[in-house]
Amino acid sequence: MMLQTYSGTSTELRLSTQAYISSSSPCKLRTLHSPSNSKRFLGFNSHNHPLPFNNFNGCTKISHAKKRNTSKDGFSLRFKLHCHSKITALPKKNMNEGKKNKYGGILPSILRALEVEKDVEKTLDLYYGKLNPKEQTVILKEQSKWHKVLRVFEWFKSQTDYVPNVIHYNVVLRALGRAQKWDELRLCWIEMAKKGVLPTNNTYGMLVDVYGKAGLVKEALLWIKHMKSRGIFPDEVTMSTVVKVLKDAKEYDRADSFYKDWCVGRIELDDLDLDNLGDQEGISLKQFLLSELFRTGGRSNSSTDSGIPNAESSVRKPRLTATYNTLIDLYGKAGRLKDAAGVFSDMLKAGVALDTFTFNTMIFTCGSKGYLSEAEELLNKMEERGISPDTKTYNVFLSLYADVGDIDAALRCYRKIREVGLFPDNVTYRAVLHVLCERNMVEEVEAVIQEMEKLKKRIHESSLPVLTQMYVNEGLSERARFLIEMSQSCGGFSSKTNAAIIDVYAEKGLWAEAEGLFYTNRDGCGHKKEVLEYNVMIKAYGKAKLYEKALTLFKGMRNQGTWPDECTYNSLIQMCGGADLVDEARDLVVKMQEAGFKPSCSTFSAVISSYAKKKNLSDAVDVFQEMLQADVKPNEVVYGLLIDAFAEAGNFEEAIRYFHLMEDSGILANQIILTSMIKAYGKIGSMEGAKQLYEKMKMLEGGPDIVASNSMLNLYGELGMVSEAKALFDYLREKDCVDGVTFATMMYVYKNMGMLDEAIEVAEEMKRSGLLNDCVAYNKVMACYATNGQLVECGELLHEMVVKKKLLPDGGTFKVLFTILKKGGIPIRQLESSYKEGKPFAKQAVITSVFSVVGLHAYALESCGIFTKEDVGYNSFAYNAAIRAYTAYGKIDEALNMFMRMQDEGLEPDIVTLINLVNCYGKAGMVEGVKRIHSQLKYGAIEPNDSLYKAVIDAYKNANRKDLADMVNQEMKFASDAQQFTDSETEDLDE
């Protein structure tokens, strides 16, 4: 089953904590000093200052903190803080102060009235003429819903004395952007332009921010491009916003580049891919932004070529704390700890005020990269500078200590939050519960839950699966059920959480508990269950071997309005396969494909395994072929099942065939597959083990059988051990213990090592020995000859195989034959596709073409006669093969008759037909026929084709018209210069 239990991990804790410490930040970059100056890293001294929470319980400094004082490149990450100026903590904001209390005059009453009164216009009419622009701005900003913002703004504009201003438009645009009302935003922007209100840096920065937060990164950057066209250079806040947008989109290099360009007065956006911007409903965002960008009246007349006058007049450096914080976070997320340290150092040198966010970001960046002692020292320096840690600071340390497995330190962080007068937040509780649950610390978990109850804080739903898992692990299922029911009574939880909890029960085999939760109306609204919930319930039934229940649940899904997904089918099929319900599994595979899903490799494997257990190998092979047809690449498990099944059945040829198919697909045999092959191939886990096994078989009566010897020989070949393989081969010949596989394997050994002469010698000996008795052996000998360029010998072997010994060519045979055709310069795409599609006469056409290309014309004519005697019609590829064969043999009349039959059946000649026909005309001296095709090619009736041009030239030469051949050769050169030839048949010969 592919579903995993939903459980919190230390990584999740870190990521949830990271959400608190990832916001804005930028500054000029600095590279760190060389290793010899490494002690200055991050500007801190390496004195041992006690960590504030190291003495929570009288404990000494945490020992693991110094585990990674030295990085891989050898420099020490100790800190040395040079106080260039006294920097005090920023004043704390009173977050509990109500917004409306800070306004005086009539504003509080207006804001309260607008909150409760639906008729906005009626409320504002009472204050007609009494509101100045600042008060109007406040009223706009305090509206929480975008449609109210628009209504208030429309009322302002309806006043006769209203003067449009950019601040009001900025407020409205921000509200629309945050609500992702792009059409309304577009109209507002156009109206702003009509009113003659010019956007400012604040306008563009705000637009970049709202578009970036909506995930429209490229569109956000288009606003900077528009800004540049207006001749406005981004200020620090706008620049910082762009960097943050790119950072959040994980475009770290582009964010770094944008910042560095800004520092030198340059804004480059030439790499912006405008063609791939996403379109929204209604008007395309791309069209809107581009139309605004290239509006003729939108550019500043004073713009330079760069669009920014005097942009490079001076070097810029950030001055805002938020900018530096963004940069530190950027480089931290990008894994560039040195650059983050450089920004921090620059911040100190520039005298920019550090705040809690700065330290939180640096602490997380260092700690998450394994430099926990440096993170601890940062906390010491944070307090030394009068900047008090906040709850997020301790959340970060809690996560970092959990990551390194120091549960005691993590819990001290949790306790410290209260000791310093702070309060745990939701992230704190989620983190500490995950830490405790992962270690089954039930009493500690209960204490945390009691504390949350006293503070009237709910357990976050993401904690429910890990709490459930802990209680189930400890045999406290009733306690888990109580928590789940409490959560349900307080509003319920999502389908994802419900599925994760069901999965906990499924993993433990508690199907009844899982079933009870599955059928519970968790949200009280009777919403339909999601497919994920069905999937984990099917898993629960499968683990409990309640297969009928699982199938019944599956069949009833659609009636409940939920459609199975890919996971549903894969899980159910694998369950049925493992339960030997092979007929049900096979039916489900068909239904899955009819539903438009592709079964996974594991799913096909389960069905093949079930057939193999029943020794129904033909059906197992059928499923394998279906797998290939579905374009699902088999893995070592699939091949291993087939190899083992055929080995068990004593079918060595099929076992080794699949073994070679596996090798050809690039999959290395694992120990299971080699163990299966030991039945005739030797148990192979390592070379030493194989040798020992083989030597042991020599001690037995009769010694190793031929299959075991061949397996050993093949293993030597696979490992490139040529001398060992040759020694074994010679030993087997002396003992007269060789067969076709032995010779074929030895050829394979030599051929793989590039020793073609030796391979050919083995092939010749094999032929003399009369051991070419099966298709596999023939294939290997022909492949050896083909690699060595001995194509005539390949043709002779093919004739012997299919005519004299009546052996049917297999897939391996045709693979060799297509190689021969490629080497002979024959276009193969048409033949190959016809063969793969299983068209009638395709195989015979391939064989005929092989005989033709190697010069065995009598054989080609013989092969051609087999299918040309048929009265039924056949495709172009067959006619082409016949025309080629008759032409090569010099039977011009028969070749032209085949062409006439082709036309009578309504088949249009293709490029291959025309090439063959030109060859036929040339050999027959029929110059007019060549000229006719040449004329069609010359005047565009036939698409220019390199192979056809060459065929025309050769035909004229064969007809003793060298003058015409030279003329066509010149035409071909001119045509080649004028346009690119197409050759659909031959362009991929070497692919």
Side-chain angles (χ1 to χ4, degrees):
M1 208 66 175
M2 286 172 267
L3 298 170
Q4 295 183 353
T5 304
Y6 180 92
S7 61
T9 64
S10 56
T11 302
E12 285 180 300
L13 306 185
R14 184 176 68 193
L15 292 175
S16 62
T17 307
Q18 184 179 6
Y20 279 83
I21 62 169
S22 57
S23 181
S24 47
S25 53
C27 144
K28 191 161 175 68
L29 296 176
R30 276 187 42 184
T31 56
L32 288 178
H33 298 289
S34 62
S36 60
N37 294 324
S38 60
K39 291 184 179 179
R40 298 175 61 85
F41 182 74
L42 290 179
F44 278 159
N45 214 341
S46 58
H47 300 305
N48 277 331
H49 295 285
L51 190 64
F53 48 76
N54 284 338
N55 295 320
F56 287 172
N57 297 318
C59 299
T60 58
K61 189 173 176 88
I62 299 169
S63 59
H64 71 76
K66 295 185 179 181
K67 284 182 181 177
R68 289 191 57 181
N69 281 341
T70 303
S71 68
K72 292 178 182 178
D73 53 2
F75 65 82
S76 172
L77 289 176
R78 307 302 296 169
F79 297 100
K80 187 174 182 180
L81 178 59
H82 294 285
C83 299
H84 298 285
S85 62
K86 278 197 171 183
I87 303 172
T88 58
L90 296 178
K92 294 183 178 179
K93 296 179 181 179
N94 185 355
M95 302 304 292
N96 296 322
E97 182 184 1
K99 286 184 177 180
K100 299 173 185 58
N101 293 335
K102 61 185 177 182
Y103 303 124
I106 60 175
L107 284 175
S109 59
I110 295 174
L111 295 175
R112 282 193 294 270
L114 287 173
E115 277 187 358
V116 297
E117 180 60 57
K118 293 184 178 180
D119 193 339
V120 173
E121 294 76 14
K122 178 181 177 182
T123 301
L124 292 175
D125 284 342
L126 299 175
Y127 301 95
Y128 179 81
K130 299 179 183 179
L131 299 173
N132 60 42
K134 289 185 178 180
E135 291 172 328
Q136 291 173 348
T137 302
V138 170
I139 293 172
L140 274 175
K141 288 174 62 177
E142 291 298 332
Q143 303 312 306
S144 59
K145 301 185 182 300
W146 68 270
H147 54 82
K148 266 198 173 183
V149 173
L150 280 185
R151 289 177 65 182
V152 170
F153 190 45
E154 289 300 322
W155 186 88
F156 288 161
K157 291 187 294 183
S158 69
Q159 308 308 301
T160 56
D161 59 345
Y162 178 74
V163 179
N165 66 84
V166 70
I167 296 176
H168 288 180
Y169 276 101
N170 287 351
V171 174
V172 176
L173 289 171
R174 181 185 294 277
L176 295 174
R178 286 176 171 173
Q180 299 188 23
K181 298 297 177 181
W182 308 121
D183 283 343
E184 289 81 358
L185 185 146
R186 172 178 59 86
L187 295 173
C188 183
W189 176 265
I190 294 172
E191 177 190 292
M192 182 177 171
K194 289 179 179 178
K195 298 284 188 181
V197 180
L198 296 178
T200 64
N201 245 298
N202 288 342
T203 311
Y204 286 109
M206 172 272 300
L207 288 169
V208 171
D209 180 62
V210 294
Y211 274 76
K213 286 177 178 174
L216 303 171
V217 178
K218 292 179 181 176
E219 290 84 342
L221 296 181
L222 269 179
W223 285 112
I224 298 299
K225 200 171 182 72
H226 187 279
M227 185 181 190
K228 179 180 176 181
S229 73
R230 289 285 181 94
I232 304 174
F233 190 77
D235 61 13
E236 183 177 342
V237 174
T238 303
M239 177 276 293
S240 180
T241 303
V242 173
V243 171
K244 181 183 181 301
V245 166
L246 290 171
K247 168 180 67 74
D248 292 344
K250 298 183 180 180
E251 294 274 357
Y252 303 128
D253 291 338
R254 292 188 68 181
D256 175 41
S257 178
F258 185 87
Y259 164 68
K260 289 180 178 178
D261 285 345
W262 179 87
C263 287
V264 296
R266 182 174 62 243
I267 297 297
E268 296 291 345
L269 292 171
D270 295 336
D271 62 336
L272 187 58
D273 186 4
L274 302 179
D275 294 329
N276 292 326
L277 296 179
D279 292 346
Q280 304 293 317
E281 293 182 2
I283 190 169
S284 158
L285 282 174
K286 178 180 68 175
Q287 293 170 355
F288 161 51
L289 290 175
L290 291 180
S291 65
E292 286 301 308
L293 178 59
F294 299 112
R295 189 186 294 270
T296 55
R299 291 190 178 91
S300 170
N301 294 328
S302 62
S303 297
T304 63
D305 291 341
S306 67
I308 303 170
N310 303 318
E312 299 187 23
S313 58
S314 62
V315 175
R316 290 166 176 78
K317 290 186 177 181
R319 297 180 178 276
L320 302 176
T321 301
T323 304
Y324 284 97
N325 290 345
T326 296
L327 280 179
I328 292 171
D329 194 38
L330 163 67
Y331 295 127
K333 284 183 168 60
R336 295 164 58 174
L337 185 55
K338 289 183 179 180
D339 289 330
V343 173
F344 188 69
S345 180
D346 285 348
M347 191 175 184
L348 293 169
K349 291 179 180 179
V352 178
L354 308 176
D355 62 9
T356 304
F357 188 95
T358 310
F359 278 98
N360 285 350
T361 307
M362 276 306 302
I363 288 168
F364 179 79
T365 299
C366 289
S368 62
K369 299 302 177 185
Y371 300 108
L372 195 49
S373 60
E374 283 71 23
E376 293 170 345
E377 288 188 28
L378 278 166
L379 180 62
N380 293 332
K381 295 302 178 183
M382 181 179 183
E383 294 196 332
E384 285 179 8
R385 299 174 72 82
I387 302 174
S388 299
D390 61 6
T391 300
K392 297 164 193 174
T393 312
Y394 293 105
N395 287 346
V396 170
F397 273 107
L398 197 161
S399 174
L400 294 176
Y401 287 129
D403 279 350
V404 298
D406 194 333
I407 185 63
D408 292 332
L411 293 179
R412 285 200 295 275
C413 291
Y414 170 66
R415 290 192 293 267
K416 185 68 176 178
I417 293 173
R418 284 301 190 89
E419 291 176 12
V420 298
L422 297 171
F423 292 92
D425 59 15
N426 290 332
V427 172
T428 313
Y429 285 120
R430 288 203 298 272
V432 75
L433 285 175
H434 279 66
V435 169
L436 296 172
C437 288
E438 285 178 349
R439 292 157 181 81
N440 293 330
M441 300 174 69
V442 178
E443 292 184 8
E444 290 80 356
V445 168
E446 294 284 349
V448 173
I449 292 175
Q450 289 175 12
E451 179 179 316
M452 292 178 69
E453 290 174 350
K454 290 178 182 178
L455 296 174
K456 297 184 178 179
K457 286 185 174 291
R458 286 184 55 191
I459 296 174
H460 193 271
E461 67 172 85
S462 65
S463 299
L464 288 175
V466 290
L467 283 166
T468 303
Q469 186 169 27
M470 181 197 69
Y471 284 126
V472 169
N473 288 342
E474 296 299 309
L476 301 170
S477 296
E478 282 300 310
R479 178 60 177 157
R481 185 178 61 80
F482 174 77
L483 279 180
I484 294 168
E485 291 175 353
M486 286 293 294
S487 183
Q488 288 171 336
S489 65
C490 295
F493 39 81
S494 67
S495 297
K496 182 179 179 181
T497 301
N498 196 45
I501 300 172
I502 294 173
D503 196 47
V504 170
Y505 289 125
E507 285 291 338
K508 292 292 183 180
L510 302 173
W511 68 270
E513 289 82 349
E515 186 180 64
L517 185 58
F518 177 80
Y519 286 108
T520 299
N521 183 9
R522 68 172 189 280
D523 53 16
C525 301
H527 292 159
K528 70 174 185 180
K529 292 176 174 58
E530 300 294 333
V531 65
L532 182 61
E533 296 170 272
Y534 278 94
N535 291 345
V536 291
M537 194 61 234
I538 289 171
K539 172 182 177 177
Y541 285 139
K543 280 190 167 287
K545 303 187 185 306
L546 300 171
Y547 307 121
E548 287 302 320
K549 274 182 169 287
L551 291 169
T552 301
L553 183 64
F554 167 75
K555 293 173 183 176
M557 285 179 68
R558 291 185 178 88
N559 295 334
Q560 301 301 319
T562 304
W563 291 84
D565 64 4
E566 195 168 352
C567 181
T568 315
Y569 283 106
N570 281 325
S571 300
L572 200 59
I573 294 167
Q574 290 174 39
M575 181 195 75
C576 290
D580 291 337
L581 301 172
V582 66
D583 293 336
E584 290 84 347
R586 189 76 177 274
D587 290 342
L588 285 167
V589 170
V590 174
K591 291 178 180 178
M592 182 178 185
Q593 292 175 307
E594 289 175 349
F597 298 117
K598 180 188 288 189
S600 69
C601 183
S602 299
T603 297
F604 279 112
S605 175
V607 182
I608 291 172
S609 175
S610 190
Y611 277 126
K613 289 178 183 176
K614 294 177 178 291
K615 302 189 182 303
N616 193 341
L617 301 187
S618 60
D619 282 334
V621 171
D622 288 344
V623 175
F624 178 77
Q625 293 299 326
E626 290 173 13
M627 185 179 186
L628 297 179
Q629 292 169 8
D631 197 27
V632 177
K633 185 178 180 180
N635 61 10
E636 63 275 9
V637 175
V638 173
Y639 285 112
L641 287 168
L642 291 169
I643 291 168
D644 185 67
F646 284 113
E648 285 284 354
N651 192 336
F652 177 76
E653 290 181 0
E654 283 298 293
I656 200 168
R657 185 169 80 84
Y658 280 101
F659 185 77
H660 287 312
L661 279 176
M662 182 190 70
E663 291 178 324
D664 292 340
S665 68
I667 299 174
L668 296 176
N670 59 24
Q671 189 167 349
I672 295 175
I673 295 170
L674 295 175
T675 301
S676 300
M677 291 303 300
I678 201 60
K679 300 169 183 114
Y681 188 70
K683 184 175 182 179
I684 299 173
S686 66
M687 174 53 71
E688 191 61 32
K691 280 184 177 180
Q692 290 176 1
L693 181 60
Y694 190 70
E695 291 301 321
K696 183 177 180 180
M697 292 177 73
K698 285 183 178 181
M699 304 291 292
L700 300 175
E701 184 178 352
D705 61 18
I706 188 64
V707 177
S709 297
N710 289 338
S711 299
M712 199 67 200
L713 188 62
N714 188 74
L715 176 61
Y716 283 133
E718 289 296 324
L719 299 178
M721 302 172 69
V722 180
S723 59
E724 289 84 348
K726 185 178 184 305
L728 179 57
F729 181 63
D730 292 340
Y731 168 79
L732 293 173
R733 283 190 299 179
E734 290 174 8
K735 295 289 185 181
D736 197 23
C737 293
V738 293
D739 62 2
V741 176
T742 313
F743 278 95
T745 305
M746 196 63 215
M747 278 190 295
Y748 176 77
V749 172
Y750 283 133
K751 181 171 170 285
N752 268 10
M753 297 303 295
M755 302 169 66
L756 294 181
D757 292 340
E758 290 81 353
I760 295 299
E761 288 180 11
V762 175
E764 294 292 342
E765 183 179 350
M766 183 177 182
K767 288 167 61 179
R768 293 192 299 269
S769 302
L771 293 174
L772 279 174
N773 297 316
D774 58 70
C775 191
V776 174
Y778 273 103
N779 293 347
K780 288 192 174 293
V781 176
M782 283 193 292
C784 189
Y785 280 131
T787 303
N788 204 39
Q790 296 176 245
L791 302 186
V792 176
E793 287 81 353
C794 290
E796 294 285 3
L797 282 171
L798 178 62
H799 185 264
E800 180 183 301
M801 172 183 171
V802 298
V803 176
K804 295 181 179 179
K805 294 196 175 180
K806 308 295 182 184
L807 294 174
L808 293 177
D810 61 9
T813 309
F814 282 98
K815 184 175 181 180
V816 177
L817 297 185
F818 285 123
T819 300
I820 295 169
L821 290 175
K822 285 182 182 180
K823 287 180 175 290
I826 295 296
I828 69 164
R829 177 178 292 180
Q830 186 185 64
L831 283 171
E832 196 168 25
S833 62
S834 302
Y835 164 75
K836 289 179 179 177
E837 292 169 13
K839 292 183 178 179
F841 310 112
K843 293 181 178 180
Q844 198 64 43
V846 173
I847 293 171
T848 301
S849 298
V850 169
F851 289 142
S852 294
V853 77
V854 302
L856 298 173
H857 304 306
Y859 292 164
L861 208 63
E862 177 185 357
S863 176
C864 182
I866 294 175
F867 62 88
T868 55
K869 293 177 182 177
E870 299 288 339
D871 292 330
V872 294
Y874 40 93
N875 294 314
S876 297
F877 64 85
Y879 281 109
N880 291 339
I883 294 171
R884 183 188 298 114
Y886 285 126
T887 299
Y889 197 77
K891 291 182 173 289
I892 304 302
D893 291 340
E894 285 86 346
L896 293 177
N897 284 336
M898 292 304 295
F899 177 64
M900 293 174 65
R901 277 182 60 181
M902 180 178 181
Q903 289 183 310
D904 291 340
E905 291 191 24
L907 294 174
E908 291 293 329
D910 54 26
I911 290 294
V912 178
T913 312
L914 294 175
I915 291 172
N916 293 333
L917 201 57
V918 166
N919 290 333
C920 179
Y921 289 147
K923 285 193 174 185
M926 302 169 65
V927 177
E928 292 303 317
V930 180
K931 283 184 176 180
R932 185 167 59 252
I933 295 177
H934 172 213
S935 178
Q936 292 176 332
L937 182 62
K938 181 177 180 180
Y939 294 107
I942 301 173
E943 187 177 1
N945 183 279
D946 185 69
S947 297
L948 184 53
Y949 261 115
K950 291 177 181 177
V952 170
I953 293 170
D954 291 337
Y956 278 135
K957 289 179 180 178
N958 290 334
N960 295 319
R961 292 299 305 269
K962 187 175 183 301
D963 56 328
L964 295 177
D966 291 339
M967 180 186 70
V968 177
N969 194 38
Q970 290 298 318
E971 288 177 9
M972 183 177 173
K973 290 180 180 178
F974 287 127
S976 179
D977 293 336
Q979 67 184 58
Q980 182 70 35
F981 280 114
T982 60
D983 192 343
S984 60
E985 281 294 331
T986 60
E987 61 190 5
D988 65 343
L989 289 182
D990 295 326
E991 186 175 301

